[in-house]
Amino acid sequence: MKVPRSSGLAALVPFLSLIGHAASINLTVATSGGNSSSSTPIGIMFEDINHSGDGGIHGQLLRNNGFQGDDQNLTAYAAIGSASLAVDSSTPLNSAITHSLAVTVPSDATGEAGFSNEGYWGIPVVAATYNTSFWFKGDFSGALTLRLVGASSGTVFGSASVDVTGSADDWTYVQTTALESNATAPDGNNVWEVVWEDASAVAGKTVWFDLVALYPPTFKNRPNGLDPRIAEVLDQLGGGFLRFPGGNNLEGESEDNRWKWNETIGPVEERPGRQGDWTYPNTDWLGLIEYLEWAEDMNLFNILGVWAGLALNSGGNTPLTGDALQPYIDDVLNELEFLLGDSSTTYGAQRVALGYSEPFPIPYVEIGNEDNLSGGCDSYPERFQRFHDAIKAAYPDIIIIASTNNADCLPSPFPEGAWQDYHTYSARDDLVGQFNLWDNWNRSIPIFVGEYANRDSDEQQWPYLAGAVSEAVFLIGVERNSDVIRLAAYAPTLQHVNGTQWVPDFVSYDASPTGVVKSTSYYVEQIFAANHGDTTREVTSDTAFGPVYWSATADSSSGAYYVKLANYGADVQSVSVSIEGATGSAATTTLTGGETDANTLEAPDTVVPVSGSVEAADGVFTLELPAWSVVVLSTA
Ligand SMILES: *[C@@H]1O[C@H](CO)[C@@H](O)[C@H](O)[C@H]1NC(C)=O
Ligand SMILES: *[C@@H]1O[C@H](CO)[C@@H](O)[C@H](O)[C@H]1NC(C)=O
Ligand SMILES: *[C@@H]1O[C@H](CO)[C@@H](O)[C@H](O)[C@H]1NC(C)=O
Ligand SMILES: *[C@@H]1O[C@H](CO)[C@@H](O)[C@H](O)[C@H]1NC(C)=O
Ligand SMILES: *[C@@H]1O[C@H](CO)[C@@H](O)[C@H](O)[C@H]1NC(C)=O
Ligand SMILES: *[C@@H]1O[C@H](CO)[C@@H](O)[C@H](O)[C@H]1NC(C)=O
Ligand SMILES: *[C@@H]1O[C@H](CO)[C@@H](O)[C@H](O)[C@H]1NC(C)=O
Ligand SMILES: *[C@@H]1O[C@H](CO)[C@@H](O)[C@H](O)[C@H]1NC(C)=O
Ligand SMILES: *[C@@H]1O[C@H](CO)[C@@H](O)[C@H](O)[C@H]1NC(C)=O
Ligand SMILES: CC(=O)N[C@H]1CO[C@H](CO)[C@@H](O)[C@@H]1O
């Protein structure tokens, strides 16, 4: 629901003036003093959960394209015409891609034959030039037709004929940009097809296919890049950092199943993929370099997660310690050499050979993920210290982040200069209760709030307004302490609604061209990311916190003030904000609506921010905070 500042609220103003100013909350923002504040408080936490990578932000749209993971079957494929399909392990593409699709056409075949792939519960077909490719092996040379087709409607959105020359002995790579869609599909119910228009051309034969791929024009036109439908939404968040590749998905169900950096680089046909930790296979086409390019393209700095000796093995896990840990410490040093080393180093040379002459910036490395859980606590002091010391010895400038702030699981003393990561998934009142959490935190240990969200129950499908206001209250508590609580990210970030393991989520989508939803939680972060200075300013008041919460920052170069206000309650609140010397008008951004209003696929714009302005009178801005609202006042 859009709530213009003038409509229903204006009607309340005369009533409020009748009851006088007694109810007004008076805030005075200091014009000097304060602490240095994080310049990039908000960012993105990413791991492949809910098909957020494959089937989400990664641009490749076809599913099960390399038959990776633990369970190889025909998921997403269907036969066309007289063809029959089978997953075949006897005709591998190579040692990394060990299964292929065998397409067999009967000897008496006529008419069309071939196969389709339905993508991730559909394909978001838009009017665009597609980049499509596949490998095939078989005794066939001639024309193949590639099509994008509405699965129920039969509408052909794009069709291209490619002449291929095959061989029964070797795999042939086919790549073309000839497939163009001339329309945007009305929904996501579309498939990609490979067809012999005259099946007699392959009658009685089997032809093998592998690594079918389909990309729309990608975000910033990167090869093997991101889907702009989703990437643009994350770009518009205006965040400062990207934490990757997890999260639990870094950890693996077993040591061998962990995310391995060296198997996510190089040509995609050399990436074996793995069974991810969230029930489905990962192709790893969104690999180490692709994450770094994503960060580069959105002007984000990198927080690189590394495996720290703890797998998730639900059967009872024994974290690696002592000598058993050393190869994994060495592996992280190799990864960092790959990213940071020059061409005289073994792994730096490998990066240069892949075409990346410049090193990638790695300011932060996080050791593991949630090591206070999954049986990791007792061994983490040793594990953290050893990774920390080894990385610091080689790269003194990298800031090391521990994956918990639970002192029981950390070395004592805690290494100087290192940070700690705090996670919270909390019911909304509990999140509001964490407003004061950091007020007495040890000022020499910076905190990264690596994952937070209002989560009232594991049945909660969508973020909703009052929950998002509780997140704003929590973030205001972070900002008031931003001398030491430096960064925060909502999690999980992305969700395909047809393949979900965790709700609620920040940005949700289905396979339709327009089906992307920015949640109420997204808008809170977007407003916070756009409005902050580099110095906290003390705010004094005659009123205690609750249900209204506030904080202020100022920008030392421009002199602008940013005052954040959250009303976590069902009553309108009158607030006056005094900033000595302030004149003219300030911009306001307001997020409000009904307490339980949520943005959903059916109603994505239920709650959106509204811009306004307010005039200063004698250095005082007078505002009405709607019930359940987040309001930011900016003098910039
Ligand atoms: C806020 O200031 C006004 C005007 O000075 C005053 O009437 C009101 O009582 C103050 N509010 C509180 C809560 O003290
Ligand atoms: C600055 O930080 C100190 C703690 O180091 C805190 O007591 C004080 O309230 C902070 N001031 C502001 C304006 O944030
Ligand atoms: C097929 O494999 C997928 C993983 O790619 C798995 O989720 C699904 O359960 C499997 N289906 C069958 C019928 O085995
Ligand atoms: C995807 O999920 C939506 C919402 O639950 C549902 O309406 C739709 O039928 C699902 N689509 C597929 C292909 O499963
Ligand atoms: C493009 O649009 C026309 C109608 O304007 C339609 O007949 C055709 O099938 C569409 N597809 C292709 C591949 O041209
Ligand atoms: C098409 O995709 C391939 C594989 O990702 C890539 O190498 C190529 O550069 C892309 N071509 C265009 C025109 O985007
Ligand atoms: C990647 O590195 C691990 C060591 O951490 C090694 O076991 C594995 O064989 C390597 N993979 C490839 C493809 O070289
Ligand atoms: C704060 O943390 C530092 C670094 O770990 C430690 O040296 C110091 O003793 C701590 N201060 C308090 C009051 O716990
Ligand atoms: C682990 O730390 C998180 C905060 O980062 C906390 O919510 C959780 O309760 C901790 N669990 C244990 C077992 O200490
Ligand atoms: C394909 C896939 O990942 N499916 C899973 C999606 O998440 C639900 C739980 O929310 C699982 O039941 C599915 O197996």
Side-chain angles (χ1 to χ4, degrees):
M1 184 195 335
K2 295 187 193 189
V3 181
R5 292 186 55 77
S6 53
S7 69
L9 297 174
L12 287 171
V13 173
F15 170 72
L16 286 173
S17 12
L18 274 182
I19 58 172
H21 288 281
S24 171
I25 297 167
N26 302 309
L27 307 179
T28 302
V29 179
T31 53
S32 62
N35 303 311
S36 156
S37 175
S38 178
S39 60
T40 51
I42 298 293
I44 298 169
M45 182 278 169
F46 184 86
E47 67 173 320
D48 206 325
I49 181 174
N50 302 331
H51 291 276
S52 51
D54 293 325
I57 197 168
H58 188 250
Q60 201 291 108
L61 299 173
L62 304 180
R63 186 177 179 194
N64 197 20
N65 63 341
F67 306 97
Q68 289 144 311
D70 287 347
D71 188 358
Q72 287 83 26
N73 59 44
L74 286 171
T75 291
Y77 292 92
I80 293 173
S82 55
S84 60
L85 309 182
V87 178
D88 188 357
S89 60
S90 68
T91 310
L93 177 62
N94 56 34
S95 61
I97 304 298
T98 56
H99 292 70
S100 60
L101 178 71
V103 182
T104 301
V105 178
S107 51
D108 58 353
T110 55
E112 284 193 352
F115 67 95
S116 64
N117 185 294
E118 65 172 24
Y120 293 90
W121 300 275
I123 297 175
V125 173
V126 294
T129 298
Y130 281 81
N131 185 354
T132 193
S133 60
F134 56 87
W135 294 81
F136 82 103
K137 181 177 182 176
D139 177 20
F140 171 73
S141 296
L144 272 173
T145 298
L146 306 177
R147 290 195 296 233
L148 285 168
V149 181
S152 325
S153 63
T155 305
V156 177
F157 295 102
S159 175
S161 178
V162 289
D163 279 314
V164 300
T165 306
S167 151
D169 303 322
D170 291 309
W171 286 92
T172 301
Y173 181 58
V174 177
Q175 185 251 319
T176 177
T177 51
L179 184 59
E180 284 181 49
S181 166
N182 58 5
T184 291
D187 56 35
N189 190 17
N190 310 303
V191 297
W192 174 90
E193 296 181 344
V194 178
V195 172
W196 287 280
E197 292 194 28
D198 177 2
S200 66
V202 279
K205 293 180 185 173
T206 295
V207 179
W208 288 265
F209 289 82
D210 222 334
L211 288 188
V212 296
L214 176 72
Y215 293 86
T218 56
F219 184 66
K220 310 271 183 189
N221 292 314
R222 290 272 191 192
N224 190 32
L226 305 180
D227 182 346
R229 244 181 7 136
I230 295 162
E232 278 161 15
V233 168
L234 290 191
D235 194 27
Q236 289 157 13
L237 179 65
F241 61 86
L242 178 67
R243 171 182 169 217
F244 64 88
N248 292 136
N249 200 41
L250 169 69
E251 298 181 69
E253 266 295 301
S254 65
E255 282 149 47
D256 193 48
N257 175 239
R258 73 193 188 283
W259 186 88
K260 296 184 190 127
W261 71 273
N262 58 333
E263 297 186 357
T264 74
I265 57 172
V268 290
E269 60 272 20
E270 291 173 11
R271 304 183 193 182
R274 59 184 273 265
Q275 182 68 23
D277 291 347
W278 292 104
T279 75
Y280 56 88
N282 293 177
T283 65
D284 288 333
W285 286 24
L286 179 57
L288 179 57
I289 300 261
E290 287 78 17
Y291 285 121
L292 295 159
E293 291 180 330
W294 165 1
E296 192 176 310
D297 288 345
M298 293 190 194
N299 195 23
L300 309 172
F301 62 80
N302 298 304
I303 300 180
L304 175 68
V306 299
W307 195 77
L310 177 66
L312 288 172
N313 188 350
S314 36
N317 190 51
T318 309
L320 299 181
T321 56
D323 291 346
L325 193 58
Q326 194 56 45
Y328 300 92
I329 297 173
D330 295 342
D331 189 48
V332 169
L333 294 175
N334 294 344
E335 179 179 7
L336 290 171
E337 184 178 286
F338 174 78
L339 296 171
L340 298 165
D342 63 28
S343 58
S344 71
T345 62
T346 307
Y347 293 95
Q350 193 183 349
R351 183 197 73 241
V352 172
L354 289 174
Y356 306 94
S357 54
E358 293 301 314
F360 289 96
I362 306 294
Y364 297 87
V365 172
E366 178 157 353
I367 310 303
N369 173 66
E370 295 181 342
D371 282 87
N372 65 330
L373 304 176
S374 315
C377 182
D378 290 351
S379 58
Y380 194 59
E382 176 197 337
R383 292 186 290 118
F384 175 75
Q385 189 80 52
R386 289 179 58 196
F387 278 93
H388 172 276
D389 293 353
I391 295 169
K392 281 306 239 191
Y395 306 98
D397 293 339
I398 293 181
I399 291 174
I400 309 296
I401 305 177
S403 71
T404 175
N405 74 330
N406 184 335
D408 295 344
C409 317
L410 291 166
S412 179
F414 188 68
E416 197 179 328
W419 292 24
Q420 297 175 4
D421 183 356
Y422 173 78
H423 295 179
T424 187
Y425 294 94
S426 300
R428 69 191 215 197
D429 286 349
D430 294 342
L431 207 51
V432 170
Q434 293 187 42
F435 173 71
N436 286 322
L437 181 63
W438 307 112
D439 290 354
N440 298 305
W441 182 251
N442 184 331
R443 291 348 247 188
S444 58
I445 305 177
I447 291 284
F448 167 38
V449 179
E451 304 180 19
Y452 77 84
N454 159 236
R455 193 186 204 220
D456 297 328
S457 80
D458 57 13
E459 306 288 304
Q460 182 191 335
Q461 290 299 312
W462 304 97
Y464 64 100
L465 182 64
V469 176
S470 80
E471 290 162 359
V473 172
F474 175 76
L475 289 176
I476 286 173
V478 166
E479 181 174 280
R480 277 161 40 83
N481 290 282
S482 56
D483 55 317
V484 67
I485 315 302
R486 305 297 294 176
L487 310 171
Y490 184 102
T493 299
L494 297 175
Q495 173 204 22
H496 194 311
V497 297
N498 298 109
T500 294
Q501 293 77 46
W502 183 281
V503 286
D505 300 277
F506 199 56
V507 172
S508 303
Y509 45 86
D510 64 11
S512 69
T514 54
V516 183
V517 185
K518 301 170 184 173
S519 66
T520 50
S521 300
Y522 172 96
Y523 285 120
V524 166
E525 278 204 357
Q526 188 183 49
I527 293 168
F528 274 55
N531 294 283
H532 61 84
D534 56 14
T535 309
T536 58
R537 290 286 197 228
E538 194 180 351
V539 181
T540 49
S541 178
D542 44 28
T543 308
F545 288 117
V548 177
Y549 297 83
W550 54 82
S551 67
T553 58
D555 191 292
S556 53
S557 49
S558 70
Y561 288 85
Y562 302 90
V563 181
K564 298 194 175 72
L565 300 155
N567 181 4
Y568 183 68
D571 298 319
V572 175
Q573 299 285 345
S574 179
V575 176
S576 76
V577 178
S578 168
I579 306 175
E580 193 185 321
T583 54
S585 75
T588 58
T589 309
T590 300
L591 191 72
T592 191
E595 179 175 358
T596 58
D597 282 357
N599 295 337
T600 64
L601 275 175
E602 292 70 29
D605 298 325
T606 304
V607 182
V608 298
V610 176
S611 301
S613 68
V614 54
E615 292 289 324
D618 297 328
V620 178
F621 299 95
T622 302
L623 301 163
E624 301 293 331
L625 300 189
W628 308 112
S629 65
V630 178
V631 178
V632 174
L633 179 147
S634 154
T635 67

